[in-house]
Amino acid sequence: MSIEIQMLGTGSAFAKRYYNNNAIISAADHSFLIDCGITAPLAIHQLGKSFNDFEGVFVTHLHADHIGGLEEYAFQMKFLYDRKPKLYIANTLVEPIWEHSLKAGITQKEIIRLEDVFEVFPQTVDQEHQITPALKIKWLETPHIEGKQSYSILSSIAPTCAFSLPSCEHLLIKVYIRSGMIAS
């Protein structure tokens, strides 16, 4: 068993040419987004994919280059595909993502809370979470911006791992892949 990581972008928050640092993680027949920044919807479209191709999204922190595409993701899934994608997010970020980022743009008659558009899975930091039979993750607190909570995802995988990466000058991956979990 293996996983595949395909970068949707490898650039910074202000990236135009290399898009935001977002990715697709696939294990067996399950695919998820790792973050969904401002440039993610276009990058997904350019790959010939749609939001419906993903079971959900892992959100690492609340900057626009990592969550700026979530409003479009939520609306497409609700109104085009009639389903709620899974939202995997550190439990400390659940309230802030709604109250400080998504609420103003998404709220309307039948959408008044995060759970109206996402199936929310709050994640405990430093604890293993079995996402699918082939994918187990652990959230690790990661220094980023002082006063802002940020997390990396550690994934335990089978010994073989296939990568699909675009050619680029810089590769900034916030996802750590190892064949076993880091011992605490």
mmCIF file of all heavy atoms in Angstrom, residues 59-88:
data_model
loop_
_atom_site.group_PDB
_atom_site.id
_atom_site.type_symbol
_atom_site.label_atom_id
_atom_site.label_comp_id
_atom_site.label_asym_id
_atom_site.label_seq_id
_atom_site.Cartn_x
_atom_site.Cartn_y
_atom_site.Cartn_z
ATOM 1 N N VAL A 59 -6.952 20.956 6.978
ATOM 2 C CA VAL A 59 -6.587 22.365 7.079
ATOM 3 C C VAL A 59 -5.482 22.510 8.115
ATOM 4 O O VAL A 59 -5.659 22.152 9.270
ATOM 5 C CB VAL A 59 -7.804 23.235 7.460
ATOM 6 C CG1 VAL A 59 -7.376 24.658 7.776
ATOM 7 C CG2 VAL A 59 -8.826 23.222 6.331
ATOM 8 N N THR A 60 -4.337 23.054 7.687
ATOM 9 C CA THR A 60 -3.178 23.166 8.579
ATOM 10 C C THR A 60 -3.150 24.465 9.372
ATOM 11 O O THR A 60 -2.655 24.483 10.493
ATOM 12 C CB THR A 60 -1.858 23.037 7.798
ATOM 13 O OG1 THR A 60 -1.757 24.116 6.862
ATOM 14 C CG2 THR A 60 -1.768 21.694 7.092
ATOM 15 N N HIS A 61 -3.637 25.545 8.784
ATOM 16 C CA HIS A 61 -3.737 26.813 9.516
ATOM 17 C C HIS A 61 -4.638 27.763 8.735
ATOM 18 O O HIS A 61 -5.093 27.441 7.642
ATOM 19 C CB HIS A 61 -2.365 27.412 9.831
ATOM 20 C CG HIS A 61 -1.562 27.844 8.663
ATOM 21 N ND1 HIS A 61 -0.931 26.975 7.812
ATOM 22 C CD2 HIS A 61 -1.274 29.095 8.210
ATOM 23 C CE1 HIS A 61 -0.278 27.654 6.883
ATOM 24 N NE2 HIS A 61 -0.473 28.947 7.102
ATOM 25 N N LEU A 62 -4.907 28.926 9.328
ATOM 26 C CA LEU A 62 -5.985 29.772 8.833
ATOM 27 C C LEU A 62 -5.558 30.988 8.023
ATOM 28 O O LEU A 62 -6.229 32.006 8.021
ATOM 29 C CB LEU A 62 -6.869 30.216 10.012
ATOM 30 C CG LEU A 62 -7.453 29.076 10.845
ATOM 31 C CD1 LEU A 62 -8.401 29.622 11.911
ATOM 32 C CD2 LEU A 62 -8.142 28.038 9.977
ATOM 33 N N HIS A 63 -4.492 30.877 7.271
ATOM 34 C CA HIS A 63 -4.123 31.948 6.339
ATOM 35 C C HIS A 63 -4.827 31.694 5.000
ATOM 36 O O HIS A 63 -5.078 30.547 4.626
ATOM 37 C CB HIS A 63 -2.617 31.993 6.120
ATOM 38 C CG HIS A 63 -1.869 32.512 7.303
ATOM 39 N ND1 HIS A 63 -0.600 32.112 7.611
ATOM 40 C CD2 HIS A 63 -2.222 33.413 8.264
ATOM 41 C CE1 HIS A 63 -0.199 32.731 8.703
ATOM 42 N NE2 HIS A 63 -1.167 33.520 9.116
ATOM 43 N N ALA A 64 -5.102 32.753 4.269
ATOM 44 C CA ALA A 64 -5.850 32.645 3.017
ATOM 45 C C ALA A 64 -5.197 31.717 1.995
ATOM 46 O O ALA A 64 -5.892 31.076 1.210
ATOM 47 C CB ALA A 64 -6.075 34.024 2.411
ATOM 48 N N ASP A 65 -3.867 31.634 1.999
ATOM 49 C CA ASP A 65 -3.210 30.742 1.040
ATOM 50 C C ASP A 65 -3.428 29.276 1.395
ATOM 51 O O ASP A 65 -3.057 28.386 0.628
ATOM 52 C CB ASP A 65 -1.725 31.071 0.878
ATOM 53 C CG ASP A 65 -0.939 31.030 2.164
ATOM 54 O OD1 ASP A 65 -1.446 31.510 3.207
ATOM 55 O OD2 ASP A 65 0.199 30.530 2.150
ATOM 56 N N HIS A 66 -4.079 29.014 2.528
ATOM 57 C CA HIS A 66 -4.392 27.644 2.937
ATOM 58 C C HIS A 66 -5.892 27.407 3.080
ATOM 59 O O HIS A 66 -6.325 26.253 3.062
ATOM 60 C CB HIS A 66 -3.674 27.308 4.248
ATOM 61 C CG HIS A 66 -2.197 27.261 4.063
ATOM 62 N ND1 HIS A 66 -1.514 26.095 3.801
ATOM 63 C CD2 HIS A 66 -1.267 28.252 4.032
ATOM 64 C CE1 HIS A 66 -0.230 26.364 3.651
ATOM 65 N NE2 HIS A 66 -0.056 27.667 3.775
ATOM 66 N N ILE A 67 -6.689 28.469 3.197
ATOM 67 C CA ILE A 67 -8.141 28.283 3.327
ATOM 68 C C ILE A 67 -8.960 29.175 2.395
ATOM 69 O O ILE A 67 -10.179 29.094 2.388
ATOM 70 C CB ILE A 67 -8.617 28.501 4.785
ATOM 71 C CG1 ILE A 67 -8.382 29.940 5.233
ATOM 72 C CG2 ILE A 67 -7.984 27.489 5.716
ATOM 73 C CD1 ILE A 67 -9.119 30.314 6.512
ATOM 74 N N GLY A 68 -8.324 29.998 1.582
ATOM 75 C CA GLY A 68 -9.033 30.948 0.725
ATOM 76 C C GLY A 68 -9.940 30.333 -0.320
ATOM 77 O O GLY A 68 -10.819 31.008 -0.856
ATOM 78 N N GLY A 69 -9.779 29.047 -0.620
ATOM 79 C CA GLY A 69 -10.639 28.364 -1.585
ATOM 80 C C GLY A 69 -11.750 27.549 -0.933
ATOM 81 O O GLY A 69 -12.564 26.936 -1.631
ATOM 82 N N LEU A 70 -11.816 27.552 0.409
ATOM 83 C CA LEU A 70 -12.818 26.728 1.098
ATOM 84 C C LEU A 70 -14.253 27.176 0.850
ATOM 85 O O LEU A 70 -15.159 26.352 0.800
ATOM 86 C CB LEU A 70 -12.545 26.685 2.600
ATOM 87 C CG LEU A 70 -11.387 25.811 3.045
ATOM 88 C CD1 LEU A 70 -11.217 25.898 4.565
ATOM 89 C CD2 LEU A 70 -11.574 24.365 2.618
ATOM 90 N N GLU A 71 -14.466 28.480 0.683
ATOM 91 C CA GLU A 71 -15.826 28.951 0.413
ATOM 92 C C GLU A 71 -16.333 28.374 -0.910
ATOM 93 O O GLU A 71 -17.438 27.839 -0.986
ATOM 94 C CB GLU A 71 -15.862 30.475 0.382
ATOM 95 C CG GLU A 71 -17.250 31.037 0.179
ATOM 96 C CD GLU A 71 -17.279 32.552 0.226
ATOM 97 O OE1 GLU A 71 -16.518 33.160 1.010
ATOM 98 O OE2 GLU A 71 -18.090 33.132 -0.526
ATOM 99 N N GLU A 72 -15.504 28.445 -1.945
ATOM 100 C CA GLU A 72 -15.904 27.859 -3.234
ATOM 101 C C GLU A 72 -16.089 26.351 -3.106
ATOM 102 O O GLU A 72 -17.047 25.788 -3.649
ATOM 103 C CB GLU A 72 -14.874 28.176 -4.317
ATOM 104 C CG GLU A 72 -15.274 27.618 -5.671
ATOM 105 C CD GLU A 72 -14.333 27.987 -6.801
ATOM 106 O OE1 GLU A 72 -13.521 28.917 -6.654
ATOM 107 O OE2 GLU A 72 -14.427 27.329 -7.857
ATOM 108 N N TYR A 73 -15.191 25.686 -2.402
ATOM 109 C CA TYR A 73 -15.306 24.235 -2.182
ATOM 110 C C TYR A 73 -16.643 23.910 -1.523
ATOM 111 O O TYR A 73 -17.390 23.041 -1.988
ATOM 112 C CB TYR A 73 -14.134 23.771 -1.327
ATOM 113 C CG TYR A 73 -13.994 22.289 -1.093
ATOM 114 C CD1 TYR A 73 -14.472 21.342 -1.988
ATOM 115 C CD2 TYR A 73 -13.351 21.822 0.041
ATOM 116 C CE1 TYR A 73 -14.317 19.977 -1.761
ATOM 117 C CE2 TYR A 73 -13.183 20.464 0.279
ATOM 118 C CZ TYR A 73 -13.673 19.550 -0.618
ATOM 119 O OH TYR A 73 -13.517 18.210 -0.383
ATOM 120 N N ALA A 74 -16.972 24.618 -0.447
ATOM 121 C CA ALA A 74 -18.222 24.373 0.277
ATOM 122 C C ALA A 74 -19.435 24.599 -0.626
ATOM 123 O O ALA A 74 -20.357 23.768 -0.666
ATOM 124 C CB ALA A 74 -18.294 25.268 1.509
ATOM 125 N N PHE A 75 -19.455 25.711 -1.355
ATOM 126 C CA PHE A 75 -20.593 26.018 -2.215
ATOM 127 C C PHE A 75 -20.737 25.015 -3.360
ATOM 128 O O PHE A 75 -21.842 24.568 -3.664
ATOM 129 C CB PHE A 75 -20.498 27.437 -2.769
ATOM 130 C CG PHE A 75 -20.906 28.513 -1.803
ATOM 131 C CD1 PHE A 75 -20.295 29.747 -1.836
ATOM 132 C CD2 PHE A 75 -21.902 28.305 -0.865
ATOM 133 C CE1 PHE A 75 -20.671 30.759 -0.958
ATOM 134 C CE2 PHE A 75 -22.293 29.302 0.018
ATOM 135 C CZ PHE A 75 -21.674 30.534 -0.036
ATOM 136 N N GLN A 76 -19.626 24.664 -4.017
ATOM 137 C CA GLN A 76 -19.720 23.681 -5.096
ATOM 138 C C GLN A 76 -20.243 22.342 -4.577
ATOM 139 O O GLN A 76 -21.106 21.723 -5.202
ATOM 140 C CB GLN A 76 -18.359 23.477 -5.774
ATOM 141 C CG GLN A 76 -18.025 24.553 -6.767
ATOM 142 C CD GLN A 76 -16.917 24.123 -7.700
ATOM 143 O OE1 GLN A 76 -16.753 22.943 -8.020
ATOM 144 N NE2 GLN A 76 -16.147 25.093 -8.168
ATOM 145 N N MET A 77 -19.722 21.914 -3.452
ATOM 146 C CA MET A 77 -20.155 20.617 -2.916
ATOM 147 C C MET A 77 -21.632 20.643 -2.527
ATOM 148 O O MET A 77 -22.356 19.677 -2.765
ATOM 149 C CB MET A 77 -19.285 20.204 -1.729
ATOM 150 C CG MET A 77 -17.834 19.956 -2.106
ATOM 151 S SD MET A 77 -17.610 18.834 -3.511
ATOM 152 C CE MET A 77 -18.282 17.334 -2.830
ATOM 153 N N LYS A 78 -22.089 21.738 -1.956
ATOM 154 C CA LYS A 78 -23.501 21.834 -1.543
ATOM 155 C C LYS A 78 -24.433 21.980 -2.745
ATOM 156 O O LYS A 78 -25.424 21.264 -2.857
ATOM 157 C CB LYS A 78 -23.698 23.006 -0.592
ATOM 158 C CG LYS A 78 -25.143 23.140 -0.112
ATOM 159 C CD LYS A 78 -25.261 24.048 1.058
ATOM 160 C CE LYS A 78 -26.682 24.132 1.584
ATOM 161 N NZ LYS A 78 -27.214 22.878 2.097
ATOM 162 N N PHE A 79 -24.123 22.902 -3.635
ATOM 163 C CA PHE A 79 -25.073 23.241 -4.688
ATOM 164 C C PHE A 79 -24.877 22.474 -5.999
ATOM 165 O O PHE A 79 -25.826 22.293 -6.744
ATOM 166 C CB PHE A 79 -25.050 24.751 -4.939
ATOM 167 C CG PHE A 79 -25.467 25.542 -3.725
ATOM 168 C CD1 PHE A 79 -24.579 26.393 -3.102
ATOM 169 C CD2 PHE A 79 -26.750 25.403 -3.197
ATOM 170 C CE1 PHE A 79 -24.960 27.122 -1.976
ATOM 171 C CE2 PHE A 79 -27.140 26.130 -2.074
ATOM 172 C CZ PHE A 79 -26.239 26.984 -1.456
ATOM 173 N N LEU A 80 -23.665 22.016 -6.296
ATOM 174 C CA LEU A 80 -23.446 21.236 -7.521
ATOM 175 C C LEU A 80 -23.478 19.727 -7.276
ATOM 176 O O LEU A 80 -23.949 18.967 -8.119
ATOM 177 C CB LEU A 80 -22.095 21.604 -8.161
ATOM 178 C CG LEU A 80 -21.935 23.020 -8.681
ATOM 179 C CD1 LEU A 80 -20.544 23.214 -9.277
ATOM 180 C CD2 LEU A 80 -23.014 23.341 -9.714
ATOM 181 N N TYR A 81 -22.940 19.293 -6.121
ATOM 182 C CA TYR A 81 -22.786 17.854 -5.882
ATOM 183 C C TYR A 81 -23.640 17.326 -4.734
ATOM 184 O O TYR A 81 -23.652 16.127 -4.479
ATOM 185 C CB TYR A 81 -21.308 17.528 -5.634
ATOM 186 C CG TYR A 81 -20.440 17.959 -6.795
ATOM 187 C CD1 TYR A 81 -19.566 19.030 -6.677
ATOM 188 C CD2 TYR A 81 -20.520 17.308 -8.027
ATOM 189 C CE1 TYR A 81 -18.776 19.441 -7.738
ATOM 190 C CE2 TYR A 81 -19.743 17.711 -9.100
ATOM 191 C CZ TYR A 81 -18.872 18.779 -8.944
ATOM 192 O OH TYR A 81 -18.102 19.176 -9.993
ATOM 193 N N ASP A 82 -24.328 18.212 -4.037
ATOM 194 C CA ASP A 82 -25.267 17.844 -2.973
ATOM 195 C C ASP A 82 -24.660 16.910 -1.926
ATOM 196 O O ASP A 82 -25.236 15.888 -1.569
ATOM 197 C CB ASP A 82 -26.531 17.210 -3.580
ATOM 198 C CG ASP A 82 -27.669 17.121 -2.585
ATOM 199 O OD1 ASP A 82 -27.763 18.006 -1.716
ATOM 200 O OD2 ASP A 82 -28.453 16.151 -2.658
ATOM 201 N N ARG A 83 -23.467 17.259 -1.468
ATOM 202 C CA ARG A 83 -22.860 16.504 -0.371
ATOM 203 C C ARG A 83 -21.932 17.397 0.441
ATOM 204 O O ARG A 83 -21.486 18.441 -0.032
ATOM 205 C CB ARG A 83 -22.132 15.260 -0.865
ATOM 206 C CG ARG A 83 -20.794 15.474 -1.522
ATOM 207 C CD ARG A 83 -20.090 14.124 -1.795
ATOM 208 N NE ARG A 83 -18.863 14.290 -2.520
ATOM 209 C CZ ARG A 83 -17.661 14.454 -1.950
ATOM 210 N NH1 ARG A 83 -17.546 14.463 -0.646
ATOM 211 N NH2 ARG A 83 -16.584 14.590 -2.694
ATOM 212 N N LYS A 84 -21.692 16.969 1.669
ATOM 213 C CA LYS A 84 -20.783 17.689 2.552
ATOM 214 C C LYS A 84 -19.422 17.008 2.515
ATOM 215 O O LYS A 84 -19.312 15.824 2.825
ATOM 216 C CB LYS A 84 -21.275 17.652 4.001
ATOM 217 C CG LYS A 84 -22.503 18.426 4.281
ATOM 218 C CD LYS A 84 -22.803 18.307 5.773
ATOM 219 C CE LYS A 84 -24.184 18.781 6.098
ATOM 220 N NZ LYS A 84 -24.473 18.613 7.535
ATOM 221 N N PRO A 85 -18.376 17.737 2.158
ATOM 222 C CA PRO A 85 -17.038 17.152 2.242
ATOM 223 C C PRO A 85 -16.595 17.087 3.707
ATOM 224 O O PRO A 85 -17.114 17.813 4.562
ATOM 225 C CB PRO A 85 -16.171 18.129 1.452
ATOM 226 C CG PRO A 85 -16.895 19.429 1.554
ATOM 227 C CD PRO A 85 -18.361 19.099 1.634
ATOM 228 N N LYS A 86 -15.648 16.225 3.968
ATOM 229 C CA LYS A 86 -15.090 16.099 5.316
ATOM 230 C C LYS A 86 -14.059 17.196 5.539
ATOM 231 O O LYS A 86 -13.262 17.489 4.660
ATOM 232 C CB LYS A 86 -14.445 14.724 5.482
ATOM 233 C CG LYS A 86 -15.456 13.597 5.369
ATOM 234 C CD LYS A 86 -14.794 12.237 5.392
ATOM 235 C CE LYS A 86 -15.854 11.162 5.224
ATOM 236 N NZ LYS A 86 -15.263 9.829 5.118
ATOM 237 N N LEU A 87 -14.104 17.788 6.712
ATOM 238 C CA LEU A 87 -13.146 18.812 7.104
ATOM 239 C C LEU A 87 -12.372 18.285 8.301
ATOM 240 O O LEU A 87 -12.927 18.132 9.382
ATOM 241 C CB LEU A 87 -13.862 20.118 7.466
ATOM 242 C CG LEU A 87 -12.995 21.245 8.029
ATOM 243 C CD1 LEU A 87 -12.002 21.740 6.979
ATOM 244 C CD2 LEU A 87 -13.871 22.392 8.512
ATOM 245 N N TYR A 88 -11.099 17.963 8.065
ATOM 246 C CA TYR A 88 -10.204 17.519 9.129
ATOM 247 C C TYR A 88 -9.396 18.726 9.556
ATOM 248 O O TYR A 88 -8.679 19.312 8.744
ATOM 249 C CB TYR A 88 -9.288 16.401 8.646
ATOM 250 C CG TYR A 88 -10.038 15.147 8.257
ATOM 251 C CD1 TYR A 88 -10.433 14.917 6.955
ATOM 252 C CD2 TYR A 88 -10.360 14.195 9.224
ATOM 253 C CE1 TYR A 88 -11.128 13.775 6.602
ATOM 254 C CE2 TYR A 88 -11.059 13.049 8.880
ATOM 255 C CZ TYR A 88 -11.444 12.845 7.566
ATOM 256 O OH TYR A 88 -12.125 11.711 7.224
#
